[in-house]
Amino acid sequence: AQKVTQAQTEISVVEKEDVTLDCVYETRDTTYYLFWYKQPPSGELVFLIRRNSFDEQNEISGRYSWNFQKSTSSFNFTITASQVVDSAVYFCALSEGLVNYGGSQGNLIFGKGTKLSVKP
Amino acid sequence: DAGVTQSPTHLIKTRGQQVTLRCSPKSGHDTVSWYQQALGQGPQFIFQYYEEEERQRGNFPDRFSGHQFPNYSSELNVNALLLGDSALYLCASSFWTGGGTGELFFGEGSRLTVL
């Protein structure tokens, strides 16, 4: 069975601190996708990143970086120099996928989310 | 470019009633997925529609049904509402690729309260 665990329910940091959100996943599939989404109070899930199971390269996008390690089934998300606008609930998600076709099945398994509060 | 739009944004129903939620996908998208998000939880997959057919379904009872129209918009219907159906219902649209859907874009959701 597929499962995503985000052990950190809530994290509170002061602005400019670095923060890492943990994500551990379980799947029997050899091909799959991993995602991070941000959910501000408005409710809309904002896509941050998608990685496929064949690509273990870490990725950096501005203040955001992701560390994918298949050996530990983890896909952690780090925000460097956090800002108040980063305050939101962050979800890690997993989907089995046909990586060769470039698509995922659309059936995402979400973790329970980590609520990040960044205080000024 | 309009994103995913959902209506209504909020609604209140009583137990046993029926509800219909609506979703218009992002321009150029042909696939719609529905998710239920209970308070404090992650979204759970309900079902996905492509070419007006249900393609995948999550672990939800038959009280949950849907429809996709020729213009790709979609409806989610829930019959015989239970208190436990109170949740944020999220619609996500995507473009169907040969092996499944592409990246999902979510709407802001419809918040349903069942009294």
Side-chain angles (χ1 to χ4, degrees):
Chain A
Q2 296 181 325
K3 183 180 178 182
V4 174
T5 301
Q6 294 180 255
Q8 305 150 309
T9 306
E10 291 192 42
I11 299 176
S12 182
V13 299
V14 176
E15 206 170 20
K16 298 185 182 177
E17 284 186 19
D18 298 347
V19 57
T20 296
L21 309 182
D22 297 334
C23 173
V24 174
Y25 63 93
E26 296 176 28
T27 180
R28 294 179 183 174
D29 297 319
T30 56
T31 60
Y32 51 89
Y33 286 89
L34 294 165
F35 304 78
W36 276 95
Y37 280 87
K38 174 182 179 179
Q39 188 174 43
S42 63
E44 178 183 359
L45 284 167
V46 178
F47 170 83
L48 296 178
I49 189 172
R50 178 183 74 168
R51 302 307 298 272
N52 71 58
S53 51
F54 295 119
D55 184 2
E56 287 191 72
Q57 277 192 334
N58 292 331
E59 182 157 338
I60 298 175
S61 176
R63 297 184 297 106
Y64 297 169
S65 61
W66 291 269
N67 184 341
F68 177 25
Q69 292 194 337
K70 287 178 73 171
S71 61
T72 56
S73 297
S74 65
F75 186 44
N76 296 337
F77 172 34
T78 297
I79 302 174
T80 302
S82 59
Q83 300 176 2
V84 173
V85 294
D86 296 327
S87 297
V89 180
Y90 290 86
F91 290 97
C92 180
L94 166 71
S95 172
E96 65 178 359
L98 301 177
V99 177
N100 289 339
Y101 291 97
S104 66
Q105 291 298 315
N107 174 3
L108 301 187
I109 308 297
F110 284 85
K112 291 188 176 182
T114 298
K115 182 178 181 180
L116 174 64
S117 298
V118 182
K119 302 185 186 307
Chain B
D1 177 23
V4 179
T5 58
Q6 293 186 240
S7 63
T9 54
H10 295 83
L11 68 166
I12 300 173
K13 295 285 188 177
T14 57
R15 281 178 294 177
Q17 285 189 314
Q18 179 263 345
V19 68
T20 297
L21 308 178
R22 296 175 178 81
C23 172
S24 291
K26 181 180 170 65
S27 178
H29 285 181
D30 56 10
T31 304
V32 173
S33 303
W34 287 92
Y35 286 79
Q36 180 195 65
Q37 186 179 14
L39 198 62
Q41 302 294 314
Q44 283 194 299
F45 176 74
I46 303 175
F47 42 54
Q48 180 185 70
Y49 278 84
Y50 169 66
E51 288 189 331
E52 303 179 47
E53 290 186 11
E54 184 181 291
R55 298 290 174 163
Q56 289 188 84
R57 188 178 183 93
N59 188 25
F60 278 80
D62 292 344
R63 298 186 298 108
F64 289 77
S65 63
H67 188 77
Q68 186 180 35
F69 299 94
N71 67 353
Y72 309 120
S73 67
S74 176
E75 287 182 351
L76 164 65
N77 300 292
V78 186
N79 295 322
L81 285 168
L82 304 173
L83 295 179
D85 295 331
S86 295
L88 179 67
Y89 289 85
L90 294 164
C91 171
S93 74
S94 56
F95 181 73
W96 188 273
T97 66
T101 63
E103 295 173 15
L104 301 182
F105 290 79
F106 284 83
E108 292 190 353
S110 294
R111 185 164 295 283
L112 170 65
T113 302
V114 182
L115 302 177

